[in-house]
Amino acid sequence: YSDSQFLYKIENPTSSVNENLLIVGDSTQRAYRDVLASHFDTTIYLDYRILQSTYQGKTNAYIDHIIEKYDISAILIGGLHSSFWYSTEYKFTFSPEFDK
């Protein structure tokens, strides 16, 4: 379950759709991420806990950097944990340079 601490990247070399997917969710998305990934060039799976965890006061994942680095064209957000949807500690965190 190391993908709960790091990005999980799936590349599909046979795809020619020129679309990349970002999946943000919990462990329930593991059940279908490979199936969805077969329809995209690159799929990045991001466990929602990465958005909340910090090192020296900085988040481990900035959404804008991920979108730019992997040229994300679609985002799927899913999860069963209710705190993922209403708690302020689990949120999309953008980099300090975002929108400058």
Side-chain angles (χ1 to χ4, degrees), residues 23-50:
I23 300 173
V24 180
D26 57 26
S27 60
T28 58
Q29 279 65 59
R30 291 185 187 135
Y32 58 77
R33 72 178 174 203
D34 292 342
V35 174
L36 286 176
S38 69
H39 298 281
F40 290 87
D41 295 348
T42 300
T43 298
I44 303 298
Y45 169 77
L46 178 65
D47 189 289
Y48 76 97
R49 290 169 285 207
I50 295 173

Side-chain angles (χ1 to χ4, degrees), residues 96-100:
E97 302 86 26
F98 178 73
D99 204 24
K100 288 186 179 179

Side-chain angles (χ1 to χ4, degrees), residues 53-66:
S53 51
T54 58
Y55 174 72
Q56 295 182 346
K58 298 178 182 178
T59 185
N60 291 336
Y62 287 118
I63 296 299
D64 55 324
H65 289 178
I66 295 167

